[in-house]
Amino acid sequence: TLNDGRTLTLPVTVAPPRPTIVLLSKRIEHADDSPIRLADQNDLPVNQQLTFSLRSSEPFPRNGQIEIANADDSLHTMLSVAAGTLVLQNPHTLLATLDPLKSFGTSAFGPVRLRAVEPDGTTGDWLPLATLVRLPDLKELRCANDVTIPCTLQGDRLYLVDSISTDAAFTAPTTVPEGFVGTALLLPRPAKTGFYLRLRDDPAPANAVTLPILLPTPPPASTAHATPSAHEKVKTATTDQSRTDNKAVPASTPDSPALP
């Protein structure tokens, strides 16, 4: 209807409803051998699998797909029933598995999202899924007996660390420079409970690190009286016997009676 009262007829096509899904739950397969405990439950290490479940408002077609990508589409993959990365629990509930390292490679990091894709290419709305992070390989923490001397943290891929600190508030952090290629970092003596680090891929959370402190091995204590060995015992006994055998027998004198 126009302002002057005239009406116009416009052609309209009502398309089928776009696919609508919601994220029900997700589980990250954390590595038990890593000393790093991620503080943000949405952080997903690229070398660990993510299992999650979805619910579709309409029956999800068997040849439908779940698209996963980042904001600029430089990371992109499709999950499907045919590929084995999607399982239909029932017509409305899906179980999905994402292997970031296999799908995106070792340079993957940052937030990723998902959406449903119909067989004809119709797409739904994007939903946030996780934040991809890469973890350093922390090997050992060596400290001196003097608590005022900094400790040495040794490991690989330390360039993935943004900063480390002995407290969760990062009051006096040690910042790792960009492009760091070394295998050791210095930090103040931490408490027995460990220390904290922030990842370069997600520098906001303070992630706890539990790594035992290795102290110098004290030298063996010297003993004042060592226990003689079997060889020394035999040698001593032989010497004593020799001394007994070599005692001089008093010779006879003119004034003394002759020995029989």
Side-chain angles (χ1 to χ4, degrees):
T1 301
L2 304 180
N3 288 333
D4 60 6
R6 291 178 300 162
T7 60
L8 298 176
T9 301
L10 301 178
V12 175
T13 301
V14 180
R18 298 170 61 224
T20 303
I21 57 174
V22 293
L23 182 62
L24 297 179
S25 63
K26 59 183 178 180
R27 185 185 79 252
I28 299 175
E29 301 291 345
H30 291 288
D32 295 334
D33 57 349
S34 176
I36 304 174
R37 292 294 174 263
L38 297 177
D40 192 340
Q41 298 300 317
N42 288 321
D43 283 349
L44 170 61
V46 296
N47 61 339
Q48 297 170 21
Q49 285 190 347
L50 172 66
T51 302
F52 57 98
S53 58
L54 304 166
R55 179 166 180 82
S56 173
S57 59
E58 299 293 330
F60 193 84
R62 294 183 180 273
N63 54 349
Q65 294 178 304
I66 297 297
E67 181 181 10
I68 298 179
N70 60 351
D72 62 3
D73 206 39
S74 59
L75 301 176
H76 183 273
T77 189
M78 304 293 286
L79 308 182
S80 65
V81 174
T85 51
L86 277 184
V87 176
L88 296 178
Q89 178 179 337
N90 55 53
H92 294 273
T93 306
L94 311 172
L95 299 178
T97 302
L98 172 65
D99 189 337
L101 189 61
K102 181 179 179 180
S103 300
F104 305 133
T106 56
S107 294
F109 60 89
V112 291
R113 52 189 184 171
L114 64 85
R115 66 180 177 181
V117 181
E118 294 282 357
D120 62 358
T122 303
T123 59
D125 294 329
W126 286 108
L127 299 176
L129 179 60
T131 300
L132 300 179
V133 296
R134 295 162 296 175
L135 302 182
D137 183 13
L138 305 182
K139 295 183 177 179
E140 60 182 23
L141 179 64
R142 293 191 172 273
C143 299
N145 291 323
D146 187 352
V147 296
T148 62
I149 299 177
C151 299
T152 301
L153 175 64
Q154 296 181 345
D156 295 327
R157 301 191 302 275
L158 297 180
Y159 58 85
L160 298 174
V161 179
D162 175 80
S163 57
I164 53 179
S165 177
T166 56
D167 64 313
F170 278 72
T171 54
T174 300
T175 302
V176 180
E178 291 188 0
F180 181 76
V181 294
T183 58
L185 295 171
L186 296 180
L187 73 158
R189 178 73 167 264
K192 293 182 179 180
T193 54
F195 58 97
Y196 299 85
L197 65 79
R198 286 175 172 165
L199 297 172
R200 197 170 297 277
D201 293 340
D202 188 7
N207 305 290
V209 180
T210 304
L211 205 61
I213 297 177
L214 302 180
L215 297 175
T217 303
S222 59
T223 56
H225 302 284
T227 303
S229 63
H231 175 73
E232 292 173 339
K233 290 180 179 179
V234 173
K235 183 178 180 181
T236 302
T238 304
T239 303
D240 293 343
Q241 182 65 35
S242 176
R243 289 174 180 175
T244 302
D245 296 342
N246 291 335
K247 285 184 179 179
V249 178
S252 59
T253 61
D255 298 332
S256 61
L259 295 175

